[in-house]
Each structure stands twice: as C-alpha cells, then as structure tokens.
Amino acid sequence: MQDAVKNAVFPPALSDLEIRGPIARQMDSFFYERIFSDFAKNEIYAETEEKFRLREDDQNIVGMWRGEFWGKWVISACRVCRYKKDEELKAFLHQAALKLISTADENGYIGTYKNPLNCFAPDPDEAEKAVGWKSNWNWNIWCRKYTLWGLLECYELTGDEAILQGAVRTTDQLLDMLEDNHIRLGSTGTFCGMPSGSILKPMLILYRHTENPRYLHFAVAIGEDWDREDGLAPNLVKNGLKNILVHTWYPNPEKWAKAYEMMSCLDGLLELYRVTGTEKYFTAVKNIYEQLKKHERNTVLSVGFNDLFIHGGEGMNACSEPCDVLHWMRVCSELYKLTGDPEYMHTMEEAFLNPFLAASFENGKWGARAVRTVGRHQVAVGQSSMKYSHCCVNNMPRGYMNALESFVMKGEKGIYVNLYTPFACKFDDAQVEIGGSYLENGKVSILVETEKADTLFLRLPPWSRETIINGKKVCAPGTYYAMNLSAGKQEIYVQFDMNPRLVEETEEPVTYPDNGHIRVKRMLQGNDIPVEYLVWEKKARMFYGPLLLCRSKRIGSTEEEMLSAPTVCGKGYAVQAEPVEADAVRNAYRVTFENDRERREMILCDYATGTNLWSENDPLLFHIWL
C-alpha cells in the first residue's frame, strides 16, 4: 500500500550498509555477546521466551514488565540479522517466532499476564501493602506492543505467513477485549496511558501488511484521543500544537512525564502522519522536538532527567537512561526522513557519539541503566526479576541500527551524507565509502561511484565554522553543501574545523534544598556515588567537534584532578586541542587553556570510551566538568 506522505529521504537497506573502524568493533562486540553467541541464544533469549509460558507478570497486584524483553531482543536481533546477512540467526529467529505463537490461547492471546484483562493500574494504597511502595504500575499492553512488533519483524525477515497470522490473532484478541469491555486504551497501564498508546507504531505496521481497516481505525482513535478538548493527560497532539514546555503541561511532571514512553508515542504519531497525511500529528511532534531540545536536552546530550521530562536541561548533574537516548535518536531520525532537514542529524550525531556509545559497554556483555556526568554509570541487573535482560540493554542493538541507517540517505535530489565515521554503503545506482580520521582530527575521505550524474549533499555540522572541501573553504555551518557528480568514480577530501571549545555555565547552577530532593536521589541511586561528587558551582564542558570530552582514570586522570582542580570556567581561556595516543580509549587529546596570565594543559578523552564500562569497585571513574 502507498502512504499518504512520502519520506523526503530513504536509508539504504541494512544489508547494504557496513560500519567500520573502532565504533564497529564496539558494536560487533555487543552483537556477539548479546545476540550471536551460544549464551545469548540459550540463556538470554530462552529466559525471555519462558516468561510467556509462566505468565507471572500479574502474580500480585502490581503488574510487571517481563513481557517486553522477548520483543525487544527479537526486534534488535532481526535488524542485526539483516545487517549481517546471517542465515543461522535468521533460522533461529524463524523458530523463535513460531515457538512464541505456540504459547497462544485458543483466542489468539499471547502474553505474560495470566489474565489478559488485567490492564489497569492498581490502587496505590493496596499496592503498597504488597510491594512496600505506592505503585501504580501495569505494563500488560505495553508488553503486548513489543510482542506484536517482534512478531512483525520476524515476519518481515522470514516471509512466513504463519507468523503474520499469529500477530493478527493476538491483535484481534486485544481489540475484541477492549471493545467488548468498553475499555478506552488511554485508561490502561500507567503514566497517563502512554505505554499502552505506544502500540500505535506496530499497529500501523500491521495495517500496512494486512490493509485491514480495523487496525487503521484503532490507530487513528489513539491519535485523536491525544487531541482532546477536555485536556485529559497526556493529550500529546493538543499540547504539542500549543508549543509549550513539556514539563509544564500538567502538575507534578515526575508522576506522569515519562520520557521513554512519550517518545515511543511520538514515533507512532509520525507513522500515523505518514499513513493518513493528517498534518497536525507531524506538527505536534515537530513542536515537541523543539521544546525537548531547548529545555530538556541535558549536559550529556540526551534528553530528560533519569527518564522523566522535568526540565532536564536546567541542572549540571545529568542522569540519562539509554532508552531515552535511543528513542530521542529515533524521533530525530524519523523527523529527518520526513523532511530532509539536517537539523535533526545534528542532534542525532551528538546523541549517538556521546551518551549512546557511553551506555554500550566495551566488553559487549551489558550496558548502563543510566549514564551520568560524574562518577560511574548506573547499572541495573535482575530487572523485573530477569537474570539476563534489561530494558535498555535489550534495546541497544536497535539503537545501533537506527544510527547506522542515518549515516547516509538518498532522496529525489541526490545522496545525503550525514555522519562521517568510517562506513560503506550502496544504493541501486550508487556507492559511497567514507574513510579518514574524522573524530581524531576532522579529516574525511569520501569515495562515490554513481551510474549516472547525481548530486552529493554533505552535511556541514554547526560546530565546524569553516570546512574545506577539495581545497575550497566553505563557511556554511548547519547546512548541506551540494556537489554535482558526473557518472563514475569521484574522490572527495573534507577537513572539518573541529573547533575545540569550552561551553561555560553562565548562570548560577540550580541547587536544591537538601540531599533528599528528588533530583539528588535519582542522580545517586544505583551503584551509588557520594553526593560530594555532584557539582553545584559554575564550571565548563569541553568539546572537540561533536565529542563531549572528560577526565577519566582510563587515561590517568587522578581523583584530585577530577574533584579539586580549579575550574577553567570564566577565565577567558583560549583553547587548543591536539590528538594524542591512548590505548584505553578511542580518542584522546592534549588540551591547552591559555589567557594573558597563565597556561594550563591536561589530557582529556571522548566521554563515550572514557566512561563505557562497568566500574564495579571504583565510584569515581570520570568527570565531565572542568
């Protein structure tokens, strides 16, 4: 079927992409440990499948979320399978989908809740008696969203109609259940129904495969229920059209403004815009993106504070969940595909190269539950009583694939190169290969081969004040530079101005009345760090090109340097940076700060590899503030 709105640009097929260099090695390590290895298949995957036979997510009054892990693992694995063209993994995923379908009830229900109708939040006072705190959690339909999406990915990978029919039957059971019991989707689950409402995206994928109008009608009903005159939360469309700060929509945003789930719904609204052409869905998401970037983008270049939209941009001490990072990347990528506006790729690059890669641990076995500005990242194991799965960790391979698809795209006007770390790709009538040492010194080589005359658009990042392209100086940061290509091979050399720079805090940092404040508690929870590590005075962050830099013990930084060295903020320093060798990290630099009174020098490294390990025994591994 044909969408009402066509994308402005399209990524190549995952099978026609290849990322190279150090980031590829980090990514491949994660793929091996979490997807390809015998342990991944026999232990990690098997545990996710077992939960559908046990159906224990509603064994007490507080609903759990073990049902999400199968879908997350399978979605990731299907995309990695396409990327790697691995037939053994494809066969494994084929059987995985069929085995999951075998757990269905006669009416088609597949889930981890024994009672499919158990889809409402519990009474917090009653929940407190069961679990010790006033929980209002229920994740039934959220989990079913991931199950449906996983089945659809397996169907697209294998083409087996039995898998599609399993997806159809479990979806029909859900819709029948809601209709027969007069249940409004937005009243189910928790966080104003946003987890349940995020089923919008896979529902539209199912509609594309079946063209069953029932699924489109249900999807439109979700979108319209977010455009209410009575203002009932979350009202994403209506509030988005007002273009106001997200955390001001309703009181107590810490109780409703769940970042990951909201951005999952935004992803669905953009898909609904594609299918229906209803402009308000797109405009609402575009406005919310702008508000998030302005007011929620935190100091590690993700959004929100610890999975909440509570004005995450106001504090120096950031704590960001990787699921938020990768769904922020998804919103950026989907907006970019619809518009071709490089603004979204600027944001995508920052998020991928910094907080996302910081969250994917170098040994590939696990990842962060939250990335921090100082100390060590939070790590969570045994989430929802699982041994080997975690919401962020199971999602990370999908995040890699979302980023990789954004490196280069093609539209009616030509080929668009967006990210410049080494990769190769091919389209039907063109091939592009990126080499060089982009993150080390800004040098990039681009080999393009086309069957016919075309146009190559090179994204000029906003931080590159002057870019040299084949010897020509171009001063147009934040735009595309267009090059006419003749048929055949052409080699292009680019030198970006990596623009080493300090970003100084100009306002007095926001402080809180005591260490019991919600932000301080959330900053410190999990793999504790002392409150003394947090920063409450004006300091500065250091950037080199798109990279956030930090001090790290991986490059020899001492605790005294991290905690006690005088700040470089507010001293009028001119800054220079020179790449240096450092075995433990991907990129390190000798940074010089100089004014008319003094000269200071220090070694800094990229935030991602200066921090991306499980620092079990040392609470002070890194510090971004200078």
Side-chain angles (χ1 to χ4, degrees), residues 70 74-75 78 82 93-94 96-97 149-160 163:
W70 184 90
V74 164
I75 294 167
C78 284
R82 292 190 194 96
L93 289 164
H94 190 180
W149 204 339
L151 288 172
L152 292 172
E153 290 277 346
C154 287
Y155 167 66
E156 291 173 354
L157 181 69
T158 66
D160 188 341
I163 299 174

Side-chain angles (χ1 to χ4, degrees), residues 363-382:
N363 67 7
K365 295 178 183 294
W366 203 254
R369 183 256 149 218
V371 292
R372 287 177 166 130
T373 49
V374 59
R376 58 182 172 183
H377 296 321
Q378 290 184 18
V379 178
V381 294

Side-chain angles (χ1 to χ4, degrees), residues 408-458:
V408 60
M409 295 199 193
K410 201 168 192 305
E412 291 183 358
K413 294 181 179 179
I415 301 167
Y416 296 78
V417 177
N418 293 313
L419 276 70
Y420 293 94
T421 58
F423 73 88
C425 84
K426 61 182 179 180
F427 297 98
D428 291 341
D429 56 358
Q431 298 183 54
V432 181
E433 187 172 344
I434 302 286
S437 48
Y438 174 53
L439 298 179
E440 180 183 341
N441 55 27
K443 293 181 179 179
V444 176
S445 63
I446 306 174
L447 181 63
V448 185
E449 183 175 3
T450 58
E451 295 179 4
K452 59 184 179 180
D454 209 337
T455 304
L456 183 69
F457 295 90
L458 302 178

Side-chain angles (χ1 to χ4, degrees), residues 111-132:
T112 52
Y113 281 63
K114 191 173 294 293
N115 177 10
L117 261 173
N118 183 356
C119 57
F120 298 103
D123 177 85
D125 292 329
E126 293 301 313
E128 186 175 25
K129 297 175 185 177
V131 296

Side-chain angles (χ1 to χ4, degrees), residues 374-393:
V374 59
R376 58 182 172 183
H377 296 321
Q378 290 184 18
V379 178
V381 294
Q383 189 187 45
S384 195
S385 301
M386 301 287 281
K387 290 182 180 179
Y388 306 119
S389 289
H390 181 275
C391 68
C392 301
V393 179

Side-chain angles (χ1 to χ4, degrees), residues 33-34 39-48 73 388-389:
E33 296 292 348
R34 299 290 307 175
F39 182 83
K41 294 173 181 174
N42 297 333
E43 301 294 339
I44 299 173
Y45 169 79
E47 182 185 39
T48 71
W73 192 93
Y388 306 119
S389 289

